[in-house]
Amino acid sequence: MPFITDIKTFAALGSGVIGSGWVARALAHGLDVIAWDPAPGAETALRKRITNAWPALQKQGLAPGASQDRLRFVSTIEECVRGADFIQESAPERLDLKLDLHAKISAAAKPDAIIGSSTSGLLPSEFYESATHPERCVVGHPFNPVYLLPLVEIVGGRNTSAEAIEAAKVIYTSLGMRPLHVRKEVPGFIADRLLEALWREALHLVNDGVASTGEIDDAIRFGAGLRWSFMGTFLTYTLAGGDAGMRHFMAQFGPALKLPWTYLPAPELTEKLIDDVVEGTAEQLGERSIAALERYRDDTLLAVLDAVKSSKASHGMAFGD
Amino acid sequence: MPFITDIKTFAALGSGVIGSGWVARALAHGLDVIAWDPAPGAETALRKRITNAWPALQKQGLAPGASQDRLRFVSTIEECVRGADFIQESAPERLDLKLDLHAKISAAAKPDAIIGSSTSGLLPSEFYESATHPERCVVGHPFNPVYLLPLVEIVGGRNTSAEAIEAAKVIYTSLGMRPLHVRKEVPGFIADRLLEALWREALHLVNDGVASTGEIDDAIRFGAGLRWSFMGTFLTYTLAGGDAGMRHFMAQFGPALKLPWTYLPAPELTEKLIDDVVEGTAEQLGERSIAALERYRDDTLLAVLDAVKSSKASHGMAFGD
């Protein structure tokens, strides 16, 4: 393979919630990490986020030599990427910004280092337009919290080589992730299109006063959400068809798709709707701090991941099955 | 409270996948169950489904005296409901059928027995139109597998009394469930509107050849699905906003709702699309039988439920929090 896949040094550009998550994951896997973010106070915020994530990563098990001390924060893009075996960009979602950033990143990077972008909203054919060696440039779209959730969507642009996709799969797998190659370069990729559809409907339910944010969250987490932690909608519905299976299910429930149950366009984000969402979630949060809720989320995610892994193992399956 | 809430005898009308699930849940909670279903072979199919569910219910812990032998299958609606303290109807989703059925059920039932319907697609104000004592008639909409998933959506119709909603909450809670009162009588209630939005988008992704059913399932179960087992979208996004919180998140990601990411109308259920879904799910199923997959699902659900319960407890929370 013409690209570096046995990575020792991980470059992270951008250290917001997503970028910090990548740094935490890479550190926990025993890598040296070099981070860059031009925002004021970025280094302090990054180190604080990693400290909050670390207990969960310790519980999950750190790689030999893993340490928060192996993070170096630098002040230029070139310093960040020059020695890196792999580069992950998690900058704001603006095309002009990413175009400019990737021209600089790719020019300074080793030519055989894979470059990944955390973008969820932009297309790699577009923002890698001015990259040096664009054949090694991919999207590696993660999910929050990046240091615990296994899914990463890999998407190539028009110039990305098949070898780069394979190399990215190897690299992300070595970081404990479950890569999913999105074979067509479509806006939103796969997961966010599904999440966005649900989110839009949820906002309508709030907007119409049908339910509070807490009630909507309850409708997911005590029902379908428990299934979705290990089984997707299609296989779930295969079971709902009973022994008659999926063709029966489609015949029985397919026509319901035509019912005017769900709203189509997104609701206007009025001040009232934003207030309702903010007040609803504030009530759900209660007395807890964001950091405390993150620790609860991390602990529970770990427990759920362990539960799924153990159950799969006892049924002769690997976690990635 | 004017209704029976301390129930000993559970009447189940309809014993398909959902009806069987109610029977299994009621038996596991130590109740006497009387079931009725006019379909040929219904009793045999019901007993087989309960046998397949029983190992999971044993693992979860049966109530004292719980036994599959406490199921009696009868041949008339009147025999089924006459002595029952609580009645759950899980008949096919046809208004004419449910209208007729509920006229008969409610006329034969004790006047203070709560009557619940498992409907997901019809409105209680409509199908309870001809019921005797309609004030005690509610929707109690469960999720598959009914014997393990806690969520039940309770919906009243125009004649349902507030006391009946409260009584239904008590009854479903006594069966180990987590009731969610849907305060407005809207088609699809809350959960199915969310599920349907996601399902419609998933069918489009298959229809356009973007992804297979297995890839779409992977996009959920290795990412957001793990979170959704214990935290809904609103609270999750509150965390994604970082310390700036939900107002920041709405400002940052709200505009993306206007992107043409997701399709609006449902796709036509062409033969080709149905084939793609059926073949995709057959491939996911592989060599496993439906019954074997159900056992895997049940074991994993139990493990996930346990994981969520333990983690909540260690953070000082009850499971229903």
Side-chain angles (χ1 to χ4, degrees):
Chain A
M1 194 166 287
F3 301 108
I4 307 169
T5 54
D6 181 20
I7 66 170
K8 313 283 186 212
T9 304
F10 184 109
L13 297 113
S15 61
V17 171
I18 297 297
S20 301
W22 280 113
V23 171
R25 179 176 279 276
L27 288 172
H29 279 78
L31 302 185
D32 290 309
V33 179
I34 312 170
W36 169 84
D37 190 314
E43 181 174 1
T44 307
L46 168 59
R47 292 195 186 273
K48 196 175 136 203
R49 286 205 186 96
I50 290 166
T51 303
N52 201 44
W54 207 252
L57 291 165
Q58 282 177 309
K59 266 186 222 169
Q60 193 174 46
L62 299 173
S67 165
Q68 297 185 58
D69 298 338
R70 290 174 64 183
L71 166 63
R72 197 155 57 90
F73 197 90
V74 298
S75 59
T76 69
I77 295 170
E78 290 71 22
E79 272 180 284
C80 184
V81 305
R82 192 181 296 128
D85 299 323
F86 176 73
I87 294 152
Q88 182 78 30
E89 166 269 310
S90 310
E93 297 283 55
R94 283 173 25 218
L95 182 59
D96 57 339
L97 185 149
K98 279 203 205 286
L99 268 168
D100 179 56
L101 201 53
H102 280 294
K104 290 177 182 152
I105 291 169
S106 60
K110 299 182 200 172
D112 53 352
I114 295 285
I115 299 173
S117 169
S118 303
T119 189
S120 57
L122 300 172
L123 294 178
S125 290
E126 295 173 6
F127 65 78
Y128 283 130
E129 193 55 47
S130 47
T132 306
H133 296 299
E135 69 279 1
R136 46 61 184 276
C137 294
V138 302
V139 164
H141 176 227
F143 296 81
N144 197 36
V146 178
Y147 49 94
L148 291 182
L149 282 187
L151 184 66
V152 57
E153 292 181 312
I154 301 177
V155 196
R158 89 171 69 87
N159 296 314
T160 310
S161 73
E163 289 85 0
I165 298 287
E166 289 311 307
K169 278 189 196 169
V170 172
I171 292 166
Y172 288 124
T173 302
S174 77
L175 290 168
M177 302 182 90
R178 174 63 161 72
L180 173 62
H181 180 207
V182 180
R183 295 176 280 108
K184 279 198 183 182
E185 188 187 5
V186 293
F189 316 138
I190 299 172
D192 275 357
R193 290 173 75 141
L194 302 168
L195 301 194
E196 197 75 25
L198 188 146
W199 168 239
R200 196 172 49 212
E201 190 67 22
L203 288 174
H204 272 299
L205 290 169
V206 173
N207 203 37
D208 289 354
V210 171
S212 68
T213 61
E215 288 166 340
I216 292 167
D217 279 3
D218 288 349
I220 290 298
R221 68 199 180 103
F222 292 107
L226 287 160
R227 292 188 308 224
W228 275 330
S229 64
F230 63 94
M231 191 179 279
T233 298
F234 283 104
L235 204 56
T236 298
Y237 286 172
T238 305
L239 289 180
D243 287 323
M246 196 59 189
R247 198 172 295 273
H248 171 67
F249 179 85
M250 293 289 284
Q252 191 177 356
F253 293 105
L257 281 172
K258 299 290 183 193
L259 294 177
W261 277 6
T262 52
Y263 282 93
L264 302 181
E268 280 303 317
L269 287 180
T270 59
E271 283 307 307
K272 166 86 169 68
L273 176 54
I274 291 176
D275 284 349
D276 285 349
V277 169
V278 169
E279 283 157 24
T281 52
E283 199 174 302
Q284 290 174 261
L285 194 58
E287 301 290 305
R288 294 173 290 187
S289 68
I290 290 280
L293 186 63
E294 278 174 348
R295 284 191 300 272
Y296 161 68
R297 177 198 62 192
D298 289 356
D299 285 350
T300 315
L301 258 185
L302 273 180
V304 169
L305 276 165
D306 263 2
V308 173
K309 275 178 200 166
S310 304
S311 181
K312 284 191 176 175
S314 79
H315 283 262
M317 297 161 67
F319 175 64
D321 284 347
Chain B
M1 195 167 290
F3 301 108
I4 307 170
T5 53
D6 181 19
I7 67 171
K8 314 280 185 214
T9 304
F10 184 108
L13 298 113
S15 62
V17 171
I18 297 298
S20 301
W22 280 113
V23 172
R25 179 177 279 277
L27 288 172
H29 279 79
L31 302 185
D32 288 310
V33 180
I34 312 170
W36 169 84
D37 190 315
E43 180 174 1
T44 307
L46 168 59
R47 292 195 187 272
K48 196 175 136 203
R49 286 206 185 95
I50 290 165
T51 303
N52 200 43
W54 208 251
L57 292 165
Q58 283 177 307
K59 265 186 224 172
Q60 193 173 46
L62 299 173
S67 164
Q68 296 184 58
D69 297 339
R70 292 174 65 183
L71 165 63
R72 196 156 57 89
F73 197 92
V74 298
S75 59
T76 68
I77 294 170
E78 290 71 21
E79 272 179 284
C80 185
V81 307
R82 194 182 295 128
D85 299 322
F86 176 74
I87 294 152
Q88 182 79 28
E89 166 268 310
S90 311
E93 295 284 56
R94 283 174 23 218
L95 182 58
D96 57 339
L97 185 150
K98 278 202 205 287
L99 269 168
D100 179 57
L101 200 54
H102 280 294
K104 290 176 182 154
I105 291 169
S106 60
K110 302 181 199 171
D112 54 353
I114 295 286
I115 299 175
S117 168
S118 304
T119 190
S120 57
L122 300 171
L123 293 178
S125 289
E126 295 174 5
F127 66 80
Y128 283 130
E129 192 56 47
S130 47
T132 307
H133 296 300
E135 68 280 2
R136 46 58 184 276
C137 295
V138 302
V139 165
H141 175 227
F143 296 81
N144 198 37
V146 179
Y147 49 95
L148 291 182
L149 282 187
L151 184 66
V152 57
E153 291 180 313
I154 301 178
V155 196
R158 88 171 69 87
N159 297 316
T160 311
S161 73
E163 288 84 359
I165 298 287
E166 290 310 308
K169 276 188 198 173
V170 172
I171 291 166
Y172 289 125
T173 302
S174 77
L175 291 167
M177 302 182 89
R178 174 62 162 74
L180 173 63
H181 179 208
V182 179
R183 294 176 280 108
K184 278 199 182 181
E185 187 186 6
V186 293
F189 316 137
I190 300 172
D192 276 356
R193 291 173 74 140
L194 302 170
L195 301 193
E196 198 75 25
L198 188 145
W199 167 239
R200 196 172 49 212
E201 189 67 22
L203 288 174
H204 271 298
L205 289 170
V206 173
N207 203 38
D208 290 354
V210 171
S212 69
T213 62
E215 288 166 340
I216 292 166
D217 279 3
D218 289 348
I220 291 298
R221 69 201 180 101
F222 292 108
L226 287 159
R227 290 189 310 223
W228 274 330
S229 63
F230 63 94
M231 191 179 280
T233 298
F234 283 104
L235 205 55
T236 298
Y237 286 173
T238 305
L239 289 181
D243 287 323
M246 197 59 188
R247 197 171 295 274
H248 171 66
F249 179 85
M250 294 289 282
Q252 190 178 356
F253 292 105
L257 282 172
K258 299 291 184 193
L259 293 178
W261 277 6
T262 52
Y263 282 92
L264 303 180
E268 280 304 318
L269 287 179
T270 60
E271 283 308 308
K272 166 84 171 70
L273 175 55
I274 291 176
D275 285 347
D276 284 349
V277 169
V278 170
E279 283 157 25
T281 52
E283 197 174 305
Q284 290 174 260
L285 195 58
E287 301 290 305
R288 294 173 290 187
S289 68
I290 290 280
L293 186 64
E294 278 173 347
R295 284 192 300 272
Y296 162 69
R297 177 198 62 191
D298 290 357
D299 285 350
T300 314
L301 258 185
L302 272 181
V304 168
L305 277 164
D306 264 2
V308 174
K309 275 178 200 163
S310 304
S311 181
K312 283 189 175 174
S314 78
H315 284 260
M317 297 160 68
F319 175 64
D321 285 345

